[in-house]
Amino acid sequence: MRIPSTLVEVLLVFALFCSSPWTVWSSNTLCQQTNEEVRPHSVSITEFGAVGDGVTLNTKAFQNAIFYLNSFADKGGAKLFVPAGRWLTGSFDLISHLTLWLDKDAVILGSTNPEDWPVVDPLPSYGRGRELPGGRHKSLIYGHNLTDVIITGNNGTIDGQGSIWWNRFMNRTLDYTRPHLVELMNSTGVLISNLTFLNSPFWTIHPVYCSQVTVQNVRILAPHDSPNTDGIDPDSSDNVCIEDCYISTGDDLIAIKSGWDEYGIAYGRPSTNIIIHRLVGKTQTSGIAIGSEMSGGVSEVHAEDIQFYDSYNGIRIKTSPGRGGYVRNIYVSNVSLANVDIAIWFTGSYGEHPDDAYDPNALPVIEKVTIKDVVGENIKTAGLIEGIEGDNFVNICLSNIILNVTSNYPWNCSYVKGYSDLVQPEACEPLKERIFPDHCSDCYYLTNQIQSSNSQNRAGQTSGDIRG
Ligand SMILES: *[C@@H]1O[C@H](CO)[C@@H](O)[C@H](O)[C@H]1NC(C)=O
Ligand SMILES: *[C@@H]1O[C@H](CO)[C@@H](O)[C@H](O)[C@H]1NC(C)=O
Ligand SMILES: *[C@@H]1O[C@H](CO)[C@@H](O)[C@H](O)[C@H]1NC(C)=O
Ligand SMILES: *[C@@H]1O[C@H](CO)[C@@H](O)[C@H](O)[C@H]1NC(C)=O
Ligand SMILES: *[C@@H]1O[C@H](CO)[C@@H](O)[C@H](O)[C@H]1NC(C)=O
Ligand SMILES: *[C@@H]1O[C@H](CO)[C@@H](O)[C@H](O)[C@H]1NC(C)=O
Ligand SMILES: *[C@@H]1O[C@H](CO)[C@@H](O)[C@H](O)[C@H]1NC(C)=O
Ligand SMILES: *[C@@H]1O[C@H](CO)[C@@H](O)[C@H](O)[C@H]1NC(C)=O
């Protein structure tokens, strides 16, 4: 096709592409930047006195190695090599232009002494720790204000040894909110790949206020009864690609967030341009969730080629009066579910507020959510779709959803309006309007967003541009 030259032609091209409400726009370019960067300098953690016996605490060795490698940050960056062994450590901070590389049979083990995970400030978009007032323990692997950071290797493992945290959470003996396994804050150009993440104390991988983040080919595992061990939680972050992951944990496999009630509204940083594809997993809660903290807004989420099995719920939106913000332009397709209690679940009354200062009149806007091409075997309930009185969730589109449902009350909908086509069992009354072009995803807008994010992403991800 020749390049269209006039505005009219551009609009015609979009009209052609968008003549079906289910236009599939390409998402792949956001995720293409995965070649291992060649760092000109490399050191092994053993050169800094680390001992991989699973007993010796190596926090100082990690800190010293990274302090040393900082002198190469403006010379092409450096690689910290972690060989086979069991490397016990407390929290340490990454730097820009660093590759943390875990060899086969290398295991970084989180210390089981909470004092090795110092307490840091709460996130401004949460106003306090997520589970307790005040600060929160710092993640095992932490980065703030960084560019060009890679955490990868040849199938090595990062193990948070979270059971002591889960027990202390359950017996209520924690003073501060539990730590993540990996948190990158306010950083650009992050790649996490080819590793296994085990037993996080809390959410496993938490990019917050980040841009251009890729999580690729990782396994994330935690026991099904471990509390709040979410897999990957992009939070107030944009241009995020999550692909080829297997996640089996105690809470949401992926939860897209953007801050909590009045703090999230004031901080105002959305999560947008999020691509998820080829995700497989199981959980006692939800496969892909949005919220419940979504006060900075969540938009342009594209998830496809998803398989969830032996799980409580597939696709979830959670929100509440007081959250404010919005969830819009969400597109989920090609989902396969097996042994799942609730296929699609929207909750407008999630509750959980940081304090009493939230504004109950701050109502979230939930609109333009498209779910298509879903098959499900042994599903209990097809959809539990609960909006907010006086604040309907609108423009919800369901297409080609074929579920083998065991309950004789498959859909339960309130305060919601939308469209459906080829849905079995037949959708609830408020979602029964016929689908016309333009009712569903706003394809012109989405196409533009993804195209512009692709060009930004390519620029940011080439090492020359980052360092230049
Ligand atoms: C991850 O593994 C894949 C497949 O083995 C490889 O192509 C890719 O380069 C690796 N990524 C990194 C960052 O090493
Ligand atoms: C991050 O950048 C901000 C603004 O420059 C600064 O106030 C803050 O101290 C930095 N934090 C770290 C850990 O570098
Ligand atoms: C990494 O580990 C997974 C799971 O054990 C295995 O399937 C895969 O082949 C391994 N990859 C490499 C490159 O060793
Ligand atoms: C709570 O759990 C922790 C970790 O297992 C344990 O050390 C502590 O003794 C428990 N405290 C109480 C009061 O049960
Ligand atoms: C993030 O970094 C920018 C500059 O790079 C800075 O202005 C801002 O204060 C930082 N924010 C946080 C939360 O560190
Ligand atoms: C749907 O996803 C599955 C993986 O879950 C993949 O094998 C299949 O090719 C996808 N179908 C389409 C039409 O893309
Ligand atoms: C639905 O499940 C029932 C009971 O397991 C089974 O007999 C039936 O063949 C299934 N139908 C489809 C369309 O898969
Ligand atoms: C429908 O969902 C509401 C919550 O939104 C619940 O209170 C009600 O019991 C459900 N009805 C049935 C028949 O399951």
Side-chain angles (χ1 to χ4, degrees), residues 261-263 265 320-324 353-364:
D261 286 1
E262 69 273 25
Y263 303 101
I265 295 169
S320 237
R323 290 287 191 275
H353 301 287
D355 52 37
D356 293 337
Y358 75 94
D359 173 7
N361 297 316
L363 298 178

Side-chain angles (χ1 to χ4, degrees), residues 104 154-155 196 219:
K104 192 167 158 42
N154 180 16
N155 253 355
T196 296
R219 293 189 309 153

Side-chain angles (χ1 to χ4, degrees), residues 173-468:
T173 55
L174 285 169
D175 295 324
Y176 298 99
T177 293
R178 286 172 286 158
H180 310 292
L181 194 50
V182 176
E183 182 174 73
L184 275 310
M185 189 163 157
N186 207 30
S187 297
T188 302
V190 176
L191 171 61
I192 299 176
S193 65
N194 298 359
L195 297 174
T196 296
F197 295 84
L198 291 182
N199 300 328
S200 177
F202 194 53
W203 309 341
T204 307
I205 296 177
H206 186 226
V208 59
Y209 323 135
C210 286
S211 200
Q212 298 162 23
V213 177
T214 297
V215 181
Q216 187 182 59
N217 192 29
V218 302
R219 293 189 309 153
I220 302 177
L221 310 174
H224 292 131
D225 56 359
S226 56
N228 312 104
T229 49
D230 294 12
I232 305 169
D233 288 7
D235 196 347
S236 294
S237 290
D238 56 81
N239 296 303
V240 177
C241 167
I242 298 170
E243 61 182 358
D244 299 304
C245 294
Y246 176 81
I247 309 180
S248 168
T249 62
D251 209 332
D252 299 339
L253 304 182
I254 292 179
I256 302 167
K257 300 175 182 287
S258 62
W260 202 10
D261 286 1
E262 69 273 25
Y263 303 101
I265 295 169
Y267 199 74
R269 178 147 177 188
S271 276
T272 188
N273 289 334
I274 314 269
I275 306 283
I276 299 165
H277 57 176
R278 297 187 301 270
L279 169 68
V280 180
K282 65 170 180 169
T283 169
Q284 295 307 299
T285 62
S286 306
I288 295 176
I290 298 177
S292 78
E293 310 87 336
M294 38 60 69
S295 303
V298 174
S299 71
E300 301 358 285
V301 175
H302 188 134
E304 63 191 349
D305 305 348
I306 309 292
Q307 291 172 269
F308 298 135
Y309 63 99
D310 299 347
S311 293
Y312 189 61
N313 162 238
I315 306 298
R316 180 106 195 250
I317 295 176
K318 337 179 217 187
T319 187
S320 237
R323 290 287 191 275
Y326 55 85
V327 174
R328 71 164 66 97
N329 291 337
I330 310 300
Y331 179 97
V332 181
S333 79
N334 189 21
V335 180
S336 148
L337 304 173
N339 311 320
V340 169
D341 286 8
I342 305 171
I344 301 168
W345 189 11
F346 295 178
T347 306
S349 59
Y350 196 79
E352 293 194 352
H353 301 287
D355 52 37
D356 293 337
Y358 75 94
D359 173 7
N361 297 316
L363 298 178
V365 174
I366 312 298
E367 61 182 6
K368 295 186 183 168
V369 178
T370 295
I371 301 178
K372 65 169 293 209
D373 300 340
V374 182
V375 293
E377 274 294 315
N378 194 22
I379 307 299
K380 286 203 178 103
T381 299
L384 190 50
I385 317 276
E386 177 217 336
I388 296 173
E389 188 174 0
D391 177 35
N392 282 357
F393 296 0
V394 297
N395 224 324
I396 309 303
C397 285
L398 307 177
S399 171
N400 190 31
I401 299 183
I402 313 292
L403 303 172
N404 193 340
V405 167
T406 55
S407 151
N408 41 26
Y409 191 69
W411 294 90
N412 179 351
C413 304
S414 51
Y415 310 117
V416 60
K417 272 187 78 59
Y419 311 88
S420 60
D421 188 31
L422 301 173
V423 173
Q424 241 182 62
E426 211 172 291
C428 51
E429 213 49 52
L431 297 178
K432 258 194 193 158
E433 242 172 277
R434 235 187 91 199
I435 290 173
F436 291 102
D438 301 337
H439 276 168
C440 299
S441 314
D442 186 346
C443 134
Y444 172 81
Y445 181 66
L446 288 175
T447 309
N448 267 340
Q449 287 292 306
I450 294 298
Q451 281 173 347
S452 65
S453 78
N454 282 345
S455 37
Q456 278 168 24
N457 196 50
R458 273 195 298 275
Q461 295 287 0
T462 18
S463 55
D465 286 348
I466 283 180
R467 292 180 199 140

Side-chain angles (χ1 to χ4, degrees), residues 104-183:
K104 192 167 158 42
D105 301 321
V107 185
I108 293 181
L109 287 173
S111 165
T112 54
N113 180 356
E115 284 173 17
D116 294 325
W117 308 59
V119 175
V120 295
D121 287 342
L123 293 169
S125 56
Y126 284 69
R128 47 163 273 189
R130 182 61 182 83
E131 52 191 353
L132 288 164
R136 57 208 189 103
H137 288 276
K138 184 168 164 174
S139 60
L140 187 66
I141 298 179
Y142 178 77
H144 193 163
N145 297 353
L146 306 184
T147 52
D148 176 24
V149 184
I150 302 177
I151 303 174
T152 189
N154 180 16
N155 253 355
T157 298
I158 299 173
D159 181 349
Q161 306 204 89
S163 63
I164 107 123
W165 297 96
W166 309 330
N167 291 338
R168 293 192 51 176
F169 169 74
M170 289 183 290
N171 71 18
R172 297 172 182 273
T173 55
L174 285 169
D175 295 324
Y176 298 99
T177 293
R178 286 172 286 158
H180 310 292
L181 194 50
V182 176
E183 182 174 73

